[in-house]
Amino acid sequence: MQQYIERLEPYKHLGEECGVFGMYDFDGGNVSDSIYYGLVSLQHRGQESCGIAVSDTKGPKGKVLSHKDMGLVNEAFTPDELDKLKGDIGVGHVRYSTAGSSTRENAQPLVLNYVKGTLAMAHNGNLVNAPELRHELSYTGAIFQTTIDSEVIAYHIARERLVTQSVEEAVGKAMQRIKGAYSLVIMSPRKLIGARDPYGFKPLVIGRRENCYVLASETCALDTIGATFIRDVEPGEIVTISPDFGIKSDKSMCLNKSKHARCIFEYIYFARPDSTIDGVSVYDARIAAGRFLAMDSPVEADMVVGVPESGNVAALGYALESGIPYGQAFVKNSYIGRTFIKPKQKNRESSVQVKLNALRSAVEGKRIIMIDDSIVRGTTSDRIVRMLRDAGAKEVHMRVSSPPFLWPCYFGTDVPARDQLIAYNRNIDDICKIIGADSLAYLGIERLEEMVGGKLGICKGCFTGTYPVDPPNEDIRGEYEE
C-alpha cells in the first residue's frame, strides 16, 4: 500500500478546464480592462496561461492587438500591457491544458490571419476527432503553430469562410466537422460570435452592460464587471452579436434535449459556487449533494468539515441535513500560484501540507466527517486524512460528493487512464484502507440528476464508461506525469 501511495505522489487533484470571455461595446468604448477583470473572475478555470485579443471596429479592418503569456492573469498583464490593447471588441482566455503541452505557443486566444481577414478565437473543451482533422489539414497544406485542438477549429472556420457568406455561417459549417466538447468565443472584424457544442458539455452565457454585450463561461464573470445576465447559449446554438441586429441566433445544430450531456463536474467542482449554469445554481447543486450524502451515508460524528474550496458547500449541505455542526478544520494558503515548486518525493515536505494545514483546536478529540468533491488517485485524500489524525482527530469519516471515477474523460476534464484511478479494480473498503479513513462513502450515481434538479441532461461517462460521443481511437488527453 505504501509503495502505491509513493508511486502516485506527483498526482494531486482534478485539473480545471478553461475559461472564455468576449465583449463588444457598441458605443466604441475600450473593452480590454473589462476583459481583464472577467478573466480574473474565471481564474479558477485555468491558472496555466492567459491572453487577450482586441480590435477597433472603426479602425483598419482586421487589425488585432493581442497579448498572452504563461501564468495568472495579474502576472501576465501589467498596466502598461493593458494600455496597449485598445479596442471596442475583444476576446480573452484562461487555460489549463488537458490536451496540448503547457507552452506559451499554446496560450489563447488564437489570432488567425487569412485571405478574408482576421479571426481571434478562445476555446474551452476537447475535440475527440482532433487528430484526424489535424492530419487531414496537414495534408492539404496547413502549417500548425500549436499542438492544441483549438487551432484545428480555427483552421476549419477560416476555410469554410472562403466559401460562405458570413463568419457565423462558416462557424456552423465547421461545427458539422468537429466532434466533442467546445464553447467558442470568436472575434471577427465586426462581429462577436459564441458557439456551444450540440451536447452542451461546456457552459457559455450571454450578458449585457449598458450598450456592451458579453459572452462568458460563467455568470460570476458577468457579476464581476457589472453586467446583467441575459441567458445561456443553448447547446448547439450559434449567437452572433453586432450593432446591426443585436443578438442573432442560429439553432440549426441543436439536438433534442434528451441528448444533452452537460459536464456534471461543472456543478460538483469546476464552476464557482456563485455561478448559475443552465438555470441551476452551482451553490444549490452542491448543497443538494451534501444533503444526499447525509441521507444515504449517515455516520455519528461531532463535526462536518469541507476540504477547501470545493468541498465546503457540500459539507454545509451535509451538516444542514444531518444536524451535525459545520466547522472549519483547515487553513488554506492563498498565496500558492504558478511559482510554487512541488517538493520531490525524497523530501519530507508534502505539497498538500504546504497548501493546507489542520486546525488542531477545532478537531482535536472529535469525530470528523470530511467532505471532498472527488477522489481521483487517492494521494491527496490520504495525506489530508493523515493531517486530521496528526492534529488529534478521534475519527475521520470521508464522504465524497461524486461517484467513484472508473473511466477517463475525453472532453476537457483531467481524468487520467483507468489504471491510474484509485477506484479501478478496487471496492470501497479497499479505497478506505488506502486513504486511512474510518469509513468512506460516495454520492450515488442515481443522485446526479437530482443534484441538478432533475431537468438537465448530463454526462456521466467518467463514472459509467458510457459516453454521449464515441471516444477517440487514440489518447487526446495531454501529457501526464509518470
Side-chain angles (χ1 to χ4, degrees), residues 155-383:
Y155 266 128
H156 271 283
I157 294 172
R159 290 200 169 191
E160 294 293 347
R161 180 64 183 91
L162 300 179
V163 294
T164 54
Q165 297 299 309
S166 64
V167 178
E168 57 268 37
E169 186 182 348
V171 172
K173 293 287 187 180
M175 286 174 63
Q176 294 174 19
R177 298 294 313 280
I178 61 179
K179 297 178 182 178
Y182 53 89
S183 280
L184 307 174
V185 177
I186 301 158
M187 176 184 73
S188 76
R190 300 290 187 269
K191 297 173 182 175
L192 183 65
I193 299 166
R196 194 174 176 192
D197 72 76
Y199 298 91
F201 283 106
K202 308 302 178 189
L204 191 63
V205 299
I206 309 170
R208 183 174 181 177
R209 187 185 68 191
E210 298 176 338
N211 214 20
C212 301
Y213 284 86
V214 181
L215 294 168
S217 289
E218 295 183 35
T219 58
C220 66
L222 305 180
D223 297 336
T224 297
I225 65 163
T228 301
F229 171 76
I230 297 176
R231 65 177 179 87
D232 294 273
V233 177
E234 294 183 22
E237 184 183 13
I238 303 168
V239 294
T240 305
I241 298 171
S242 72
D244 295 334
F245 40 72
I247 301 174
K248 185 175 73 172
S249 172
D250 175 1
K251 297 184 180 181
S252 60
M253 291 288 292
C254 293
L255 301 174
N256 186 282
K257 289 184 178 181
S258 63
K259 294 185 178 181
H260 289 175
R262 296 163 181 85
C263 176
I264 190 61
F265 259 86
E266 291 289 347
Y267 301 95
I268 294 171
Y269 174 71
F270 291 133
R272 262 179 36 173
D274 53 333
S275 288
T276 298
I277 299 173
D278 289 319
V280 175
S281 160
V282 175
Y283 178 85
D284 290 347
R286 292 178 189 172
I287 287 286
R291 287 186 178 276
F292 294 148
L293 282 170
M295 295 176 192
D296 302 337
S297 306
V299 63
E300 292 186 5
D302 303 305
M303 185 167 67
V304 184
V305 304
V307 177
E309 299 288 337
S310 53
N312 290 341
V313 179
L316 178 58
Y318 194 107
L320 290 171
E321 184 66 30
S322 66
I324 300 171
Y326 171 80
Q328 181 179 353
F330 303 102
V331 174
K332 184 179 180 181
N333 186 341
S334 301
Y335 299 95
I336 297 174
R338 71 185 177 99
T339 56
F340 174 55
I341 301 171
K342 291 183 180 179
K344 296 179 181 178
Q345 290 188 24
K346 64 181 181 181
N347 292 34
R348 187 170 297 177
E349 298 88 359
S350 162
S351 57
V352 177
Q353 291 169 320
V354 175
K355 293 179 182 179
L356 292 177
N357 195 29
L359 285 164
R360 178 175 290 274
S361 60
V363 304
E364 191 168 22
K366 293 181 180 177
R367 300 168 297 173
I368 303 296
I369 299 172
M370 182 181 79
I371 312 291
D372 203 357
D373 60 86
S374 59
I375 305 178
V376 185
R377 304 169 179 95
T379 51
T380 299
S381 302
D382 158 76
R383 294 187 183 277

